[in-house]
Amino acid sequence: MFVLGIATALMVAVFFLGTFYFQQYAGYGPLATGLLFLPIALATMAGAQVAGKLVGRLGARKLGAIGMIVGALGLLVPALWSTTLTTTIGISFGSLGIGALFVVASATALGNVAPEEAGIASGLLSTFHEIGASVGVATVSSIAAVSLIGGGDAGFQRAFLAAAIAAIVATAIAAIAIPGRNRTQSPAPAH
């Protein structure tokens, strides 16, 4: 649940901050902004696809930590060097990791419950998805307010930095909280 909340908070931060950065600061219209988000959306889907193939091999804990680190590194780019190109590339790269986090969250939340508890687990996932979105947008919009009101990109940079720091802190928590691979299970007896 924690991983999904963080993943959603980071994704909402990317779309919220990116939209305002591209339109308000860089001066692009809605169509150009939408096109700038195309590689970000594609990267999110690619990250989810790759994670779906790797989660069984690497385990959710390792893949979750990798996803958080990739997300943090991508968000650091516009925090440190904000141009249209670097912001697009940075948050596209970060979205690879964020996409992977959605797979990790779903796999661990739904894969570790009995079949009769899957509905409850799915409901909890949806709840944490909404909580993550609310907390994410409230946090980054508060930090970015100076740029939203007064112009300039300092608020955007600070908000991207805060999101990157949150991903780094979440990496440590996820590395402890995500269930590890169960290596002690023996294969089912043959009949």
Side-chain angles (χ1 to χ4, degrees):
M1 303 306 158
F2 170 78
V3 171
L4 185 68
I6 291 295
T8 305
L10 294 174
M11 183 55 66
V12 168
V14 162
F15 282 103
F16 180 83
L17 291 173
T19 299
F20 277 102
Y21 176 82
F22 291 142
Q23 289 187 333
Q24 188 167 334
Y25 179 73
Y28 292 102
L31 179 60
T33 298
L35 291 173
L36 288 167
F37 272 103
L38 186 58
I40 297 161
L42 293 173
T44 305
M45 290 187 292
Q49 286 295 315
V50 170
K53 292 177 177 34
L54 293 178
V55 71
R57 222 176 302 152
L58 295 178
R61 181 180 291 166
K62 186 182 284 186
L63 191 58
I66 292 168
M68 292 280 188
I69 291 167
V70 169
L73 290 173
L75 292 168
L76 272 175
V77 172
L80 301 174
W81 185 25
S82 60
T83 67
T84 299
L85 181 62
T86 58
T87 298
T88 304
I89 291 170
I91 59 180
S92 293
F93 180 74
S95 293
L96 284 167
I98 295 168
L101 293 174
F102 287 110
V103 172
V104 168
S106 297
T108 55
L110 299 175
N112 291 315
V113 297
E116 63 271 9
E117 296 172 337
I120 293 170
S122 179
L124 284 170
L125 275 175
S126 294
T127 300
F128 276 80
H129 179 72
E130 297 303 318
I131 290 170
S134 300
V135 170
V137 77
T139 303
V140 297
S141 65
S142 296
I143 296 168
V146 73
S147 290
L148 296 172
I149 295 169
D153 68 347
F156 292 122
Q157 287 181 308
R158 282 194 296 269
F160 277 119
L161 181 61
I165 291 169
I168 291 166
V169 170
T171 301
I173 295 168
I176 295 166
I178 297 174
R181 297 177 73 173
N182 190 352
R183 298 177 192 275
T184 60
Q185 277 185 333
S186 56
H191 293 281

